Amino acid sequence: MNITKNTEGKTLNIALEGRLDTTTAPQLEAEFKQSIADNTELILDFANLEYLSSAGLRVLLAAQKTMNKQGKMIIRNVNDVIAEVFEVTGFADILTIE
């Protein structure tokens, strides 16, 4: 998985490419721990994310909980496969998906 990030003021933009699974979830979790502390908005771009496992969902849930305390988290450009994962797991009700 490739992670591309850029910060604009208090907004952190992270684009994910590839698979967010058991192997790559720790990489994203480490990136969140390092990067989101000083931001009030986290925008995740899933345009190039091909797969999302339960390990990835756990990392997203932890990030959502953190961002609920300090601002907001938005997920953009979700493909049909990832959208179905969010729907089936109930994450569509928890996350802000645009």
Side-chain angles (χ1 to χ4, degrees):
M1 177 179 68
N2 292 321
I3 299 173
T4 305
K5 69 176 185 172
N6 97 31
T7 305
E8 298 171 15
K10 292 283 187 180
T11 300
L12 174 62
N13 294 286
I14 294 181
L16 302 180
E17 181 180 346
R19 297 171 57 90
L20 180 52
D21 56 23
T22 305
T23 306
T24 59
Q27 178 187 358
L28 182 60
E29 186 173 33
E31 188 63 54
F32 283 156
K33 285 181 179 176
Q34 176 185 358
S35 302
I36 66 175
D38 296 327
N39 294 288
T40 57
E41 185 173 41
L42 172 61
I43 299 175
L44 299 173
D45 185 346
F46 281 12
N48 296 308
L49 188 67
E50 302 164 4
Y51 176 80
L52 177 64
S53 75
S54 59
L57 289 171
R58 182 187 56 77
V59 173
L60 293 177
L61 182 60
Q64 181 66 63
K65 286 181 179 179
T66 299
M67 292 310 297
N68 283 345
K69 296 174 188 167
Q70 63 193 53
K72 63 182 176 178
M73 181 173 100
I74 300 168
I75 300 175
R76 294 188 173 147
N77 302 316
V78 176
N79 67 34
D80 291 342
V81 173
I82 305 296
E84 185 175 352
V85 171
F86 287 150
E87 287 294 328
V88 169
T89 59
F91 274 63
D93 299 329
I94 300 169
L95 304 172
T96 302
I97 302 168
E98 295 181 347

